[in-house]
Each structure stands twice: as structure tokens, then as C-alpha cells.
């Protein structure tokens, strides 16, 4: 029985770290990147991921709420994050593109 409890505590810790990473990643992305990728808004994802993180801290792993939080975190990591990262600049606060780049790619002057 102690082996199962140890495994569940490690799994709970891994879920908490995973949710925390997703929350920090969502917080560091630009607001306009979410709209450009057509993936709701930054405050929406911060609230969802923040609630998922808090739920994983407060509730046992075998209850329903952490599983719902895990599903929300997985949706962010496999759908929203890759869409935002595919944008020019990677969706981060720092600008790595050209000075003529817009939110949807380089501006070519109507050519």
C-alpha cells in the first residue's frame, strides 16, 4: 500500500509541475498572439490554467477536479501553445522578427 501512495504522490507532484509550467508559459506569451492564433484570449487561459494549478494543489488526484484541470492543461499544451509558437516571434514578449513584421507575418508593401 505504501508503494501505491508513493506513486500517487509522485504523480500528483508531476501534475502540479505540469500545470505550473503551462501557467507560466501562458503568462509569458503576448496578448495579441492568442487573438492572432484564434485561441480565445490570454486572460481566459490564465484563469483556466490558474484554477487548474490551484485545484491540483488542494484536491487529491483521484477526485474529479484535478482530472478536469489536467484535461484543460493538456488542451493548452497540445493545441494553444503550438499555435502561438508558430507565429513570428514565437508569441513571446521579445521581438525577433524584422521591424516590418506585423502580427500576421511580414509586411510586403502590397506586392
Amino acid at each position: 500500500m505504501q508503494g501505491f501512495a508513493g506513486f500517487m504522490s509522485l504523480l500528483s507532484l508531476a501534475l502540479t509541475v505540469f500545470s505550473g509550467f503551462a501557467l507560466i508559459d501562458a503568462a509569458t506569451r503576448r496578448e495579441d498572439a492568442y487573438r492572432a492564433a484564434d485561441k480565445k484570449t490570454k486572460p481566459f487561459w490564465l484563469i483556466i490554467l490558474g484554477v487548474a494549478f490551484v485545484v491540483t494543489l488542494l484536491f487529491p488526484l483521484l477526485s474529479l477536479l484535478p482530472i478536469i484541470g489536467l484535461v484543460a492543461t493538456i488542451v493548452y499544451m497540445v493545441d494553444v501553445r503550438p499555435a502561438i509558437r508558430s507565429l513570428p516571434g514565437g508569441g513571446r514578449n521579445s521581438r525577433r522578427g524584422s521591424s516590418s513584421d506585423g502580427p500576421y507575418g511580414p509586411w510586403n508593401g502590397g506586392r
Side-chain angles (χ1 to χ4, degrees):
M1 197 65 169
Q2 283 181 334
F4 180 72
F7 173 73
M8 291 305 288
S9 65
L10 285 177
L11 193 59
S12 179
L13 177 65
L15 178 59
T16 303
V17 169
F18 184 58
S19 296
F21 173 78
L23 178 63
I24 291 169
D25 184 73
T28 60
R29 303 291 174 178
R30 293 189 337 235
E31 166 66 32
D32 61 335
Y34 289 87
R35 287 176 280 142
D38 197 28
K39 300 293 179 186
K40 298 286 183 189
T41 63
K42 183 175 182 174
F44 172 83
W45 283 108
L46 288 177
I47 290 169
I48 295 293
L49 294 172
V51 168
F53 180 72
V54 169
V55 162
T56 60
L57 287 174
L58 298 179
F59 291 95
L61 186 62
L62 293 178
S63 64
L64 186 63
L65 290 176
I67 294 171
I68 294 171
L70 176 63
V71 169
T73 304
I74 290 172
V75 166
Y76 174 80
M77 293 298 286
V78 301
D79 183 39
V80 179
R81 186 173 186 248
I84 291 172
R85 290 183 73 190
S86 69
L87 296 173
R92 293 275 181 186
N93 289 332
S94 64
R95 296 282 305 205
R96 286 182 275 186
S98 169
S99 62
S100 64
D101 285 354
Y104 306 106
W107 184 72
N108 62 7
R111 289 181 252 163

